[in-house]
Amino acid sequence: MHVLILGGTTEARALAAALHPGVRVTSSLAGRVAEPRLPVGEVRIGGFGGVAGLAAWVREHHVDAVIDATHPFAETMSFNAARAAATAHVPLLALRRPGWVPEAGDQWRPVGSLDEAARALTGLGDRVFLTTGRMGLAAFADCPQWFLVRSVDAPDAPMPARTEVLLDRGPFTLDGERDLLRRHRIDVLVTKDSGGAATSPKLHAAREAGIPVVVVRRPPIPEGVRTAASPEAAAAWVRRGFVGS
Ligand code: NAP
């Protein structure tokens, strides 16, 4: 049995570890991060060349099932996976960690996109902690506020004129996030609703400090695609012979 995992997440690595070596696993990474954390099993890096390229790869490598374990905001890849799996007639499962849920004391401002997040910053203060990743920085390029941008690799222009870059990758701790908000006198946090424990301490720290959080809502999962909420549930789907969800 050969399973293709579309990866780039903690959950994708955990799933590869849960299946390997009993099941042949190939994990696919986009190649965005210079030194990615690699999963166990086989790994391929780089785009497939759209839906047709992915469908061809699946056929050529005798893939029996595809698990889309990409980040909840990797919308293009998820839609490509849905169409390619249908084209190649292989089962597809989307592994999606649950989104974050606001708690008492949270001051969330939900928005539908990064552009909307940039507009929502008006009136929320001058010092912004931006944790939406380096790829979408252009949406904030015309913002007058000062930005602390945290990303794994250095971002490229365009970016806001007043930007300090902090190169770091999770998991992050509550103490570390508290300290960072204090040290940089942060007025507002911007995040995607990525979900998961690795990056959630910033939400806790913002709640404690009474800092508003602009939260970008998730894009939808392609229609008709079955989902699993954890690597364990996805591994169970494989062991059941790709049945149920
Ligand atoms: P995206 O916009 O949905 O995808 C753009 C293109 O990148 C796809 O059409 C595909 O190229 C290629 N691609 C994406 N994921 C791939 C994968 N796992 N393996 C091979 N090719 C892939 O993707 P994105 O949002 O830039 O995310 C890229 C990667 O970073 C994903 O693996 C994702 O899990 C990870 N990531 C994303 C975020 C985020 O906020 N978006 C955060 C953390 C990690 P072709 O059409 O040529 O196949």
Side-chain angles (χ1 to χ4, degrees):
M1 194 192 290
H2 185 193
V3 173
L4 172 64
I5 300 176
L6 304 172
T9 58
T10 307
E11 286 72 18
R13 288 191 296 277
L15 175 60
L19 294 175
H20 177 83
V23 175
R24 182 183 169 200
V25 170
T26 301
S27 295
S28 175
L29 304 178
R32 301 269 196 283
V33 176
E35 288 179 35
R37 289 182 178 137
L38 293 177
V40 297
E42 297 167 46
V43 177
R44 65 161 302 286
I45 298 182
F48 293 93
V51 174
L54 177 54
W57 199 97
V58 162
R59 283 201 200 96
E60 279 161 26
H61 295 82
H62 307 287
V63 168
D64 297 293
V66 177
I67 299 182
D68 169 21
T70 56
H71 191 270
F73 283 79
E75 191 177 6
T76 304
M77 190 71 242
S78 293
F79 275 85
N80 287 359
R83 290 175 58 199
T87 305
H89 303 291
V90 293
L92 169 71
L93 181 77
L95 168 53
R96 283 292 178 279
R97 56 192 176 210
W100 290 317
V101 178
E103 294 182 19
D106 276 326
Q107 301 177 45
W108 284 13
R109 311 281 201 279
V111 294
S113 66
L114 291 175
D115 289 336
E116 214 182 299
R119 289 194 293 274
L121 289 175
T122 304
L124 293 180
D126 183 52
R127 299 180 67 83
V128 183
F129 181 25
L130 188 61
T131 63
T132 47
R134 72 192 165 98
M135 303 303 284
L137 265 189
F140 301 89
D142 295 329
C143 289
Q145 295 88 348
W146 175 87
F147 284 81
L148 177 65
V149 171
R150 182 165 68 190
S151 60
V152 176
D153 288 318
D156 301 318
M159 64 176 88
R162 297 164 62 215
T163 294
E164 181 175 329
V165 176
L166 175 63
L167 296 183
D168 204 353
R169 74 167 117 196
F172 301 104
T173 65
L174 179 55
D175 278 346
E177 301 294 54
R178 277 182 184 136
D179 181 55
L180 198 138
L181 295 184
R182 228 182 353 246
R183 208 157 19 94
H184 292 279
R185 294 176 286 115
I186 296 299
D187 297 313
V188 53
L189 166 69
V190 185
T191 180
K192 293 173 176 172
D193 177 15
S194 299
T199 57
S200 63
K202 64 188 170 190
L203 300 173
H204 190 147
R207 185 183 314 130
E208 280 181 358
I211 290 173
V213 184
V214 177
V215 182
V216 185
R217 282 189 294 264
R218 293 176 171 204
I221 293 168
E223 220 178 303
V225 174
R226 63 176 74 85
T227 60
S230 67
E232 297 72 28
W237 177 76
V238 172
R239 294 203 186 91
R240 284 197 303 270
F242 318 124
V243 177
S245 63

